[in-house]
């Protein structure tokens, strides 16, 4: 099991563009959470997907949207990119969404907006 | 809203010295507290959780509800402990994790 995988590894976009990041959860996991980690900061919760629905959302604008597929993989979409969206985007998967549990993190996608 | 504070960005200690990484939280209920660690060139991983009350790699952390703290401690630092440490809080129920800003632990040989 490769654990949580994310693609691409790095991405450079221009302001105003749109970007899609992808995540495959650890085998057997059904819940995917997305985080934004700016330089020098801790990860900030964006949203969580379970059973193909957004279950929880952090304080992020509607420009950030997501999707979960029947195979539990997930996408994070960001529209109208701003310079401030430059960050490491982390995906984490877990076995259940019903309570505190260990989350397994992916290596992240480094997004640079110019 | 919950918040996690890690007051030190960098903590440098000599090998063999005791380590204490501070974490304070604010939350009105009874949260679950965690410590995550990120070693160089590795992904973020769970170190320990307060509900298990276990020692991992010699680290322990006690939840002090009166002081709303969850400090991470180790009696004798090792060079391999050098890493970034994040304190995290889950309010319960769904896993909306709140992370602190992290403390970089540097163990000097």
């Amino acid at each position: 099991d490769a654990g949580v995988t994310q693609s691409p590894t790095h991405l450079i976009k221009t302001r105003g563009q749109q970007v899609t990041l992808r995540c495959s959860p650890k085998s057997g996991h059904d819940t995917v959470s997305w985080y934004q980690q700016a330089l020098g900061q801790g990860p900030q919760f964006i949203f969580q997907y379970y059973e193909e629905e957004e279950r929880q959302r952090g304080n992020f604008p509607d420009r950030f949207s997501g999707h979960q597929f029947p195979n539990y993989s997930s996408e994070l979409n960001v529209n109208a990119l701003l310079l401030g969206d430059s960050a490491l985007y982390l995906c984490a998967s877990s076995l259940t969404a019903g309570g505190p549990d260990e989350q397994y993190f992916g290596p992240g996608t480094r997004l640079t907006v110019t | 809203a919950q918040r996690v504070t890690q007051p030190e960005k960098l903590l440098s200690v000599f090998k063999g010295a005791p380590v204490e990484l501070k974490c304070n939280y604010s939350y009105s209920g009874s949260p679950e507290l965690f410590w995550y660690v990120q070693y160089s060139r590795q992904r973020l991983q769970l170190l320990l959780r307060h509900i298990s009350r276990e020692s991992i790699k010699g680290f322990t952390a006690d939840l002090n509800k009166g002081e709303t703290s969850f400090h991470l401690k180790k009696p004798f630092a090792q060079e391999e402990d050098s890493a970034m440490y994040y304190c995290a809080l889950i309010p319960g129920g769904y896993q909306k994790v709140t992370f602190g800003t992290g403390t970089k632990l540097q163990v000097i040989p």
Side-chain angles (χ1 to χ4, degrees), chain A residues 4 35 37 40-43 45 48 55-58 94 96-103 105-107, chain B residues 9 32 34 36 38 43-46 49 51 84 86 90 92-102:
Chain A
V4 179
Y35 296 84
Q37 186 174 20
Q41 301 296 317
F45 178 81
Q48 180 185 84
R55 189 148 190 171
Q56 282 277 347
R57 189 179 182 93
S94 53
T96 67
D101 199 355
E102 181 175 351
Q103 294 192 72
F105 282 83
Chain B
K9 276 195 172 297
E32 300 290 342
F34 301 77
Y36 280 81
Q38 187 168 27
R43 52 186 76 185
L44 197 61
Q45 58 185 288
L46 180 69
R49 67 196 84 181
I51 55 173
M84 197 73 188
Y86 295 95
I90 294 178
Y94 305 140
Q95 300 172 51
K96 187 176 178 179
V97 187
T98 296
F99 283 87
T101 52

Side-chain angles (χ1 to χ4, degrees), chain B residues 26-84:
Chain B
S26 62
Y27 180 64
S28 56
S30 295
E32 300 290 342
L33 274 297
F34 301 77
W35 276 98
Y36 280 81
V37 61
Q38 187 168 27
Y39 300 103
S40 179
R41 300 182 188 280
Q42 294 188 27
R43 52 186 76 185
L44 197 61
Q45 58 185 288
L46 180 69
L47 179 62
L48 56 79
R49 67 196 84 181
H50 90 272
I51 55 173
S52 59
R53 304 184 68 83
E54 57 190 346
S55 173
I56 303 293
K57 299 184 179 184
F59 284 98
T60 59
D62 290 320
L63 179 59
N64 186 323
K65 293 185 178 180
E67 297 181 359
T68 60
S69 67
F70 187 56
H71 303 327
L72 183 67
K73 300 178 183 180
K74 185 171 182 176
F76 308 103
Q78 302 298 315
E79 289 181 64
E80 55 266 29
D81 297 330
S82 294
M84 197 73 188

